[in-house]
């Protein structure tokens, strides 16, 4: 069986949403869940078993700098009178040539790892990477 090249998913059709709003400036995004396991020694065999003990969700989004709105929300963690900013993100990938690869994922309990204050380089378009962690996810398909 040969690969049908038209079915390879095109990342150009990826979208990130926050509070129902499409973040059109986001050009790259990723989310991963790391599975942590403990080794379990078992009697009568040399094989080591593994027990899942925790999950850690992390990711990042990269895009063009348009406003400072998200940075201001993340920055509330620096104000001792406010709670840290916790939110949800929806990631969508929907290539019109491959509806079998269509995916919507809701990331729960998203907290950002850094406050993107400001960066720039003369003669360059300003982009920023915003890393985050999350504490749950749900497929919305």
């Amino acid at each position: 069986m040969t690969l049908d090249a038209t079915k390879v998913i095109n990342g150009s059709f990826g979208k990130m949403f926050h509070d129902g709003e499409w973040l059109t400036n986001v050009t790259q995004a990723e989310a991963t869940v790391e599975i942590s396991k403990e080794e379990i020694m078992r009697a009568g065999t040399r094989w080591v078993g593994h027990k899942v003990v925790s999950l850690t969700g992390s990711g990042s989004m990269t895009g063009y700098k348009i406003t400072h709105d998200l940075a201001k929300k993340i920055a509330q963690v620096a104000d001792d009178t406010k709670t840290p900013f916790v939110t949800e993100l929806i990631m969508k990938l929907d290539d019109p040539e491959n509806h079998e690869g269509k995916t919507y994922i809701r990331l729960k309990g998203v907290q950002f790892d850094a406050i993107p204050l400001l960066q720039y380089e003369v003669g360059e378009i300003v982009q920023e990477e915003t890393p985050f962690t999350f504490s749950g996810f749900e497929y919305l398909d």
Side-chain angles (χ1 to χ4, degrees), residues 110-124:
V110 174
Q111 296 186 63
F112 294 92
D113 298 344
I115 303 168
L117 295 176
L118 189 59
Q119 68 174 18
Y120 66 90
E121 184 176 338
V122 174
E124 298 292 326

Side-chain angles (χ1 to χ4, degrees), residues 82-141:
K82 294 184 178 178
T83 60
F85 178 62
V86 180
T87 191
E88 292 187 346
L89 296 171
I90 304 284
M91 296 177 74
K92 174 183 176 184
L93 188 53
D94 188 9
D95 185 336
E97 292 184 359
N98 182 352
H99 293 292
E100 295 170 15
K102 177 179 176 178
T103 306
Y104 288 82
I105 298 176
R106 177 170 65 121
L107 303 178
K108 303 175 185 179
V110 174
Q111 296 186 63
F112 294 92
D113 298 344
I115 303 168
L117 295 176
L118 189 59
Q119 68 174 18
Y120 66 90
E121 184 176 338
V122 174
E124 298 292 326
I125 299 295
V126 176
Q127 295 189 57
E128 63 185 10
E129 180 181 6
T130 311
F132 56 84
T133 56
F134 58 95
S135 56
F137 71 95
E138 175 184 10
Y139 282 100
L140 301 175
D141 303 346

Side-chain angles (χ1 to χ4, degrees), residues 21-32:
E21 180 181 335
W22 174 20
L23 303 177
T24 58
N25 60 310
V26 174
T27 58
Q28 179 181 349
E30 67 174 296
T32 305

Side-chain angles (χ1 to χ4, degrees), residues 11-118:
S12 296
F13 297 98
K15 295 180 180 180
M16 179 73 79
F17 295 87
H18 180 255
D19 284 341
E21 180 181 335
W22 174 20
L23 303 177
T24 58
N25 60 310
V26 174
T27 58
Q28 179 181 349
E30 67 174 296
T32 305
V33 176
E34 181 180 322
I35 303 169
S36 296
K37 303 174 197 163
E38 292 286 333
E39 291 186 354
I40 306 297
M41 300 305 295
R42 299 180 291 179
T45 182
R46 291 184 184 101
W47 286 99
V48 175
H50 294 88
K51 173 75 174 175
V52 173
V53 294
S54 65
L55 303 172
T56 303
S58 63
S60 68
M61 56 186 186
T62 302
Y64 303 115
K65 182 74 169 183
I66 306 293
T67 70
H68 295 281
D69 294 344
L70 183 59
K72 288 177 182 177
K73 289 177 182 177
I74 297 168
Q76 75 187 34
V77 72
D79 183 339
D80 290 334
T81 66
K82 294 184 178 178
T83 60
F85 178 62
V86 180
T87 191
E88 292 187 346
L89 296 171
I90 304 284
M91 296 177 74
K92 174 183 176 184
L93 188 53
D94 188 9
D95 185 336
E97 292 184 359
N98 182 352
H99 293 292
E100 295 170 15
K102 177 179 176 178
T103 306
Y104 288 82
I105 298 176
R106 177 170 65 121
L107 303 178
K108 303 175 185 179
V110 174
Q111 296 186 63
F112 294 92
D113 298 344
I115 303 168
L117 295 176
L118 189 59

